[in-house]
Amino acid sequence: MSAVLGTAAVALGLAAAVLGMATLALGLRRDNPDMLRAGQRYVWLVLAGAVLATFAMQYALLSHDFSLTYVADNGSRSTPILYTVTTMWSALEGSILLWALVLAGYLAVMARHFRNRASDPIVAWATLVAFGVAAFFFALMAGPANPFRVVAGAIPLDGPGPNPLLQNHPLVAFHPPMLYLGYVGFTIPFAFALAALITGRLGEGWLVETRRWTLFAWGFLTVGIVLGAWWSYEVLGWGGYWAWDPVENASFLPWLTATAYVHSVMVQERRAMLRVWNLSLLVATFSLTILGTFLTRSGVLDSVHAFTESPIGPAILGFFAVVVAVSIALIGWRGDKLRSPGSIDAPVSREGAFLANNVAFAAFAFVVLLGTVFPLIVEAVNGDQLSVGAPYFNRMTAPIGFTLLFLMAVAPALPWRKASAETLHHRLLWPAWAGVLTVVVCVASGLRGLGPLLAFGLAAFAAAAALRQLALSVRAARRGGSPVWRALMGRSNGGMVVHLGVVILAVGFAASSSYGHRAQFRLAPGESAGLAGHTVTYLDTATVEKSNKKTTSARVRVDGGKVYAPALHQFPFGSQAIGSPSVRTGPFSDVYLTLIVPPDAGGVAVIGVNVQPLVAWLWTGGAVMGFGTFLAAWPGRRRRRAAPEPAAPGRPAPVPEPATVAS
Amino acid sequence: MSVSSRDELEEERDFLLASLRDLERERENGELSERDYQALHADYTARAATVLRALERGPAKPATGRKPERDIRTKRPLVVTLGVVLLVAAMAGGAVATFAGQRGAGAPMTGSLPDSPSGKMQQALELEAQGKAADALKIYDELLKTDPRNVQALAYRAWLLKRAGLPDLAVTALDQAISIDPRFPDAHFFKGMVLYQDRADPAGAVTEFRLFLSNDPPQEMIPLVEDVLRRAMADAGMPAG
């Protein structure tokens, strides 16, 4: 039943996407508003296809329908229900289904949002492009990545379950969907960018239309990446959260270009500059999400030659090439129309700072991209299997990170056009003093190391600058009789809250990566060991056997207080024991415990202990960034629902009411 | 005036008017200083007026007047940007070449994790599967340096020694592993194989294979060991079953 329903749902989604494209293309060619409106309605069929396919997959997983290859390969009767649900995104075919579901959801929201402008050519073209992306992913499911393929031969009675690492922590229920909400969300601004290029309406209108979409996608991606780091910290047991591995880099690359775009788009909105650059950033962001999917799903990370054998590698690479080629061709075609009417009047200005910020983000993205694809290129050229180590990424990105922190402090204080020395002095004096004072206090407290001290100083500088901006807004809100919380709403103020989140995260990153302590202790029951001012006492070990795993957990008391239980899990189909750390999280330091070697006959166990300062600041910073994004995207009290007249085909619709777009 | 030119101008006009209202709101919120506000307001008003005049008269004029000046002014930042891009590209290229090294089996393509014992063990097993026994042996030695009672490392190191033609050393290591954890099935299997193939002791091998099977062995290994057990029993003159 699941196979039939799922296959039919995928066929429905694919057919609806293709028919939607055809109807819209015909409507645009014939200037027929009725056809354009009809084309939009296919969105609901695409959504129905994706929802039904997801329902079929979840039903198959939960009912242990091992007649489906996907369930036979990744499901198990002994897997707990939460991880049975998350099995949908634990392997290739299911994750493509999740992608299609999220994309269909975005398409539906887009269709509803622009329902009064369905006949506007820019909306029609954007929908057509989004249909094209949806058609690609449904086609993958209909062909090489079919999640509803039926088992050939005898139906197994049970399966191995998902990868043990993906059934070890509830964060797996949130991290991938959040990441996909970010990845896929960039389809909408990308579709509008292409629509603007195709229609030639290259003013700032389409930016305004997509601003909130971009912010939400960026916010989800940010939270998704932070959740991924948290998952890595809580599950993998190596005591860190970021290792520059290709999967992490794949999610980080579009974040970098999207962050550059979120800043540079303000320059275009305010000064009508950087049009080509902004289009290029959007195209780069969307392309990098596709490249990331290729890297993580094609098998290319195992071997550059493996992807040709993977079911979807060549298809995704081909799609990536089409996206890049079409986008570059369109930008080249519209080159003359993309010339900006304005230019930068002075380098020391807000637009100058945003440009510098964009150069820094672009350099950051280039460094990460080069490091990530270099081993692939070398292997493709001469067959050598190389690895680019973490030191490359750390050494190359650290100066860029410092530059970005500095710009984060300075840019909000700079006026547009040109900054005078007097303005700089007035706006940056006390934030700069905050930075200097922070460094002095840190040094006086005994902290050493150029990198972390510079990071703390610049972070304090940036935090003070952001707080100053927020304080000004609060004061203005009070003066105007508005509630204080209103002062935090809107792009600029929400952006300052995001900056505060980045500062918190940067401080956590600098401290935890510079001042951590790590040791392994062989302890008999009752024995204690000390590290960085903390005492761990090994009490005993217990083994619990459940249907899905055998768990050996040590009981370890930290600083004479609460008892923690680092464990090793042995899954029935896993050859390796999977470690599960236990962490005492505190606002100032974490004590991270791992059971490295279970007790021997004499009861002696090897316990790994990491003491790292300010790790919790990373997760707090991520949450503040997410909250800030929400504030920045919040419509605000001035939003008024404009009821724009539907445009006749071939003519642009009026831009929504300014109050709507401004907030 | 063509329809598309008029459309562009109308879009530009709408954008500028929206920006002017946006500016008022940001001024109210205290996001802009009075000076910034005045400067931006003047800029938008002037541009809006130009566009409105163009809409009345035709689209050609506003675009032509400033073009040469703009071209000159935009060159400098472009050159600076290109310079920065080239510098970063050169530095990154040099750095990536410096920090790239031969990838070990099971190692990630980029980045690196401080290896956990289980990760190292996995790496050693993969090296062994690729025939890189010396590299695998190094990892087992590292693991045993940290934890001399690592049963898995002891047993798999012993298996490598057996394959290298050192059955006596292998048996010593396997006995050590079995004394630490008599329930670790792999050590029994390896010892059984050494006894059967290298020591011509099928009876001793039968005992070890039976211990393997009675200690919760990996499912996929059971048929293989049952087969070799049958052969060992036959060689030892033991009745089947």
Side-chain angles (χ1 to χ4, degrees):
Chain A
M1 178 246 174
S2 302
V4 174
L5 177 63
T7 305
V10 169
L12 171 69
L14 176 59
V18 172
L19 286 172
M21 283 175 76
T23 310
L24 287 173
L26 216 58
L28 284 161
R29 189 177 167 79
R30 294 180 181 172
D31 282 352
N32 184 333
D34 290 337
M35 287 191 87
L36 295 179
R37 277 191 284 273
Q40 295 277 342
R41 289 189 200 111
Y42 283 99
V43 164
W44 304 105
L45 287 177
V46 173
L47 180 66
V51 170
L52 278 174
T54 304
F55 172 79
M57 175 52 71
Q58 286 297 340
Y59 182 79
L61 287 166
L62 291 165
S63 63
H64 307 302
D65 181 356
F66 294 110
S67 66
L68 289 188
T69 307
Y70 188 82
V71 181
D73 290 345
N74 304 291
S76 167
R77 292 184 189 280
S78 56
T79 303
I81 191 163
L82 173 69
Y83 302 114
T84 299
V85 171
T86 63
T87 299
M88 190 175 108
W89 48 87
S90 296
L92 168 69
E93 294 85 352
S95 61
I96 299 291
L97 175 55
L98 178 65
W99 187 296
L101 176 71
V102 174
L103 180 55
Y106 271 117
L107 260 170
V109 177
M110 177 184 164
R112 166 126 185 104
H113 184 76
F114 292 105
R115 63 190 178 283
N116 294 328
R117 295 178 54 197
S119 54
D120 182 348
I122 202 164
V123 174
W125 273 110
T127 313
L128 193 152
V129 172
F131 271 143
V133 179
F136 172 74
F137 281 96
F138 274 99
L140 280 183
M141 286 194 289
N146 183 358
F148 300 103
R149 190 170 287 128
V150 179
V151 167
I155 296 170
L157 296 173
D158 204 350
N163 183 322
L165 289 172
L166 300 178
Q167 47 175 316
N168 213 12
H169 199 285
L171 270 175
V172 80
F174 305 101
H175 157 56
M178 204 57 90
L179 213 53
Y180 276 41
L181 280 165
Y183 272 160
V184 183
F186 287 114
T187 307
I188 306 302
F190 168 76
F192 268 91
L194 285 203
L197 283 165
I198 293 164
T199 56
R201 282 162 57 185
L202 296 159
E204 281 61 48
W206 71 273
L207 287 180
V208 172
E209 305 283 13
T210 58
R211 185 175 76 76
R212 199 162 286 130
W213 297 86
T214 311
L215 274 179
F216 275 120
W218 184 88
F220 282 127
L221 187 58
T222 303
V223 175
I225 290 172
V226 174
L227 285 179
W230 196 4
W231 174 84
S232 174
Y233 182 71
E234 293 284 344
V235 170
L236 297 184
W238 59 283
Y241 41 79
W242 192 263
W244 295 110
D245 80 47
V247 178
E248 290 170 340
N249 295 351
S251 65
F252 194 42
L253 279 166
W255 185 88
L256 288 168
T257 50
T259 310
Y261 173 75
V262 164
H263 289 91
S264 63
V265 74
M266 284 189 268
V267 180
Q268 186 174 342
E269 283 185 35
R270 288 301 197 96
R271 306 294 315 273
M273 290 158 53
L274 306 180
R275 285 175 171 170
V276 175
W277 178 246
N278 281 324
L279 282 164
S280 305
L281 282 177
L282 263 185
V283 168
T285 301
F286 181 72
S287 306
L288 286 169
T289 65
I290 303 297
L291 184 69
T293 310
F294 168 72
L295 286 174
T296 53
R297 293 296 175 196
S298 66
V300 75
L301 297 180
D302 298 325
S303 159
V304 80
H305 306 292
F307 93 94
T308 51
E309 292 153 25
S310 97
I312 66 164
I316 295 187
L317 196 60
F319 184 61
F320 171 77
V322 168
V323 166
V324 173
V326 168
S327 304
I328 290 174
L330 282 172
I331 290 173
W333 177 47
R334 292 294 190 188
D336 283 348
K337 281 196 162 192
L338 288 168
R339 285 202 180 127
S340 301
S343 62
I344 291 180
D345 294 308
V348 186
S349 60
R350 191 173 294 185
E351 51 268 53
F354 278 148
L355 184 64
N357 147 307
N358 266 242
V359 171
F361 271 114
F364 207 136
F366 175 76
V367 165
V368 177
L369 183 66
L370 181 69
T372 307
V373 300
F374 184 73
L376 294 178
I377 294 168
V378 170
E379 193 183 342
V381 171
N382 61 17
D384 280 353
Q385 287 204 320
L386 295 187
S387 174
V388 177
Y392 160 77
F393 295 97
N394 291 333
R395 290 196 196 180
M396 288 301 294
T397 58
I400 303 174
F402 292 136
T403 307
L404 286 169
L405 270 178
F406 174 76
L407 289 169
M408 206 169 78
V410 171
L414 291 175
W416 293 95
R417 290 173 173 278
K418 191 176 183 181
S420 65
E422 185 193 339
T423 306
L424 286 176
H425 182 266
H426 173 65
R427 295 184 181 181
L428 291 174
L429 183 65
W430 85 259
W433 272 115
V436 171
L437 199 65
T438 301
V439 175
V440 170
V441 169
C442 288
V443 171
S445 312
L447 297 181
R448 295 292 179 270
L450 179 64
L453 288 173
L454 194 56
F456 297 153
L458 288 171
F461 184 24
L467 286 170
R468 179 185 173 279
Q469 288 297 113
L470 288 173
L472 286 174
S473 289
V474 168
R475 198 194 297 164
R478 274 190 182 157
R479 229 186 275 137
S482 304
V484 169
W485 59 270
R486 283 282 181 203
L488 300 176
M489 298 293 191
R491 176 166 52 185
S492 299
N493 300 318
M496 289 306 106
V497 176
V498 173
H499 279 195
L500 287 175
V502 176
V503 164
I504 295 169
L505 197 145
V507 169
F509 183 82
S512 59
S513 55
S514 304
Y515 301 121
H517 299 271
R518 180 187 293 262
Q520 294 178 358
F521 300 108
R522 287 176 54 78
L523 298 172
E527 281 186 347
S528 297
L531 181 70
H534 295 277
T535 306
V536 292
T537 306
Y538 169 54
L539 301 177
D540 53 27
T541 303
T543 301
V544 177
E545 282 202 54
K546 288 185 181 172
S547 57
N548 66 322
K549 61 183 174 186
K550 184 169 107 178
T551 301
T552 305
S553 52
R555 295 198 315 133
V556 181
R557 193 183 296 283
V558 177
D559 293 336
K562 198 177 161 190
V563 174
Y564 292 83
L568 286 171
H569 306 285
Q570 187 71 50
F571 289 82
F573 288 86
S575 59
Q576 283 293 304
I578 302 297
S580 179
S582 186
V583 189
R584 190 187 79 172
T585 301
F588 300 110
S589 79
D590 278 15
V591 179
Y592 187 98
L593 303 166
T594 46
L595 175 58
I596 292 175
V597 181
D600 55 24
V604 176
V606 180
I607 308 288
V609 184
N610 284 8
V611 177
Q612 291 191 102
L614 307 190
V615 175
W617 288 40
L618 292 159
W619 328 133
T620 309
V624 173
M625 287 172 77
F627 179 62
T629 311
F630 174 74
L631 293 176
W634 187 258
R637 69 191 157 90
R638 288 176 156 264
R639 178 173 183 161
R640 293 193 300 271
R641 173 64 63 188
E645 290 290 317
R651 282 182 51 75
V655 169
E657 279 292 304
T660 307
V661 301
S663 55
Chain B
M1 185 186 302
S2 71
V3 172
S4 68
S5 302
R6 187 167 185 85
D7 289 346
E8 282 165 29
L9 285 169
E10 283 176 351
E11 197 166 35
E12 181 79 1
R13 176 202 62 195
D14 291 340
F15 162 72
L16 290 166
L17 294 177
S19 300
L20 278 166
R21 292 180 211 179
D22 190 10
L23 204 60
E24 294 293 342
R25 190 185 63 81
E26 294 192 352
R27 181 202 200 187
E28 282 173 26
N29 286 352
E31 293 170 22
L32 283 170
S33 70
E34 188 59 28
R35 183 180 163 158
D36 292 346
Y37 167 78
Q38 293 296 351
L40 282 166
H41 193 273
D43 178 46
Y44 289 140
T45 308
R47 284 168 60 192
T50 309
V51 171
L52 287 169
R53 274 197 298 276
L55 276 167
E56 283 173 16
R57 285 185 300 199
K61 287 182 182 173
T64 51
R66 291 171 58 198
K67 199 171 175 183
E69 184 195 353
R70 188 170 66 242
D71 284 347
I72 293 162
R73 280 193 297 165
T74 50
K75 270 181 188 165
R76 199 187 304 161
L78 188 70
V79 169
V80 172
T81 308
L82 272 175
V84 172
V85 167
L86 288 174
L87 183 69
V88 170
M91 284 170 65
V96 81
T98 306
F99 290 107
Q102 209 61 37
R103 191 188 331 163
M109 203 173 69
T110 63
S112 55
L113 296 178
D115 289 330
S116 63
S118 60
K120 279 188 173 177
M121 195 66 214
Q122 185 67 38
Q123 203 179 332
L125 291 174
E126 284 175 22
L127 284 167
E128 205 179 320
Q130 291 175 7
K132 297 176 181 172
D135 293 337
L137 202 62
K138 271 186 205 163
I139 295 179
Y140 292 137
D141 287 341
E142 274 175 37
L143 283 166
L144 290 168
K145 202 172 166 188
T146 311
D147 176 22
R149 298 170 64 83
N150 186 328
V151 174
Q152 213 177 357
L154 275 170
Y156 279 83
R157 186 177 181 277
W159 182 244
L160 279 183
L161 294 173
K162 178 239 180 286
R163 288 172 58 196
L166 300 166
D168 295 342
L169 287 176
V171 168
T172 308
L174 288 166
D175 283 341
Q176 195 185 344
I178 289 167
S179 70
I180 293 167
D181 184 0
R183 292 181 308 161
F184 182 56
D186 299 22
H188 292 293
F189 171 65
F190 294 152
K191 189 176 173 189
M193 289 302 283
V194 178
L195 294 178
Y196 185 45
Q197 293 180 336
D198 301 299
R199 292 272 183 89
D201 178 9
V206 167
T207 308
E208 294 301 330
F209 292 145
R210 282 179 174 157
L211 283 168
F212 170 84
L213 292 168
S214 62
N215 276 298
D216 194 17
Q219 294 294 313
E220 65 274 13
M221 285 292 290
I222 292 174
L224 176 77
V225 178
E226 282 176 342
D227 182 51
V228 74
L229 172 62
R230 269 192 298 275
R231 283 189 278 132
M233 287 172 72
D235 290 348
M238 295 178 179

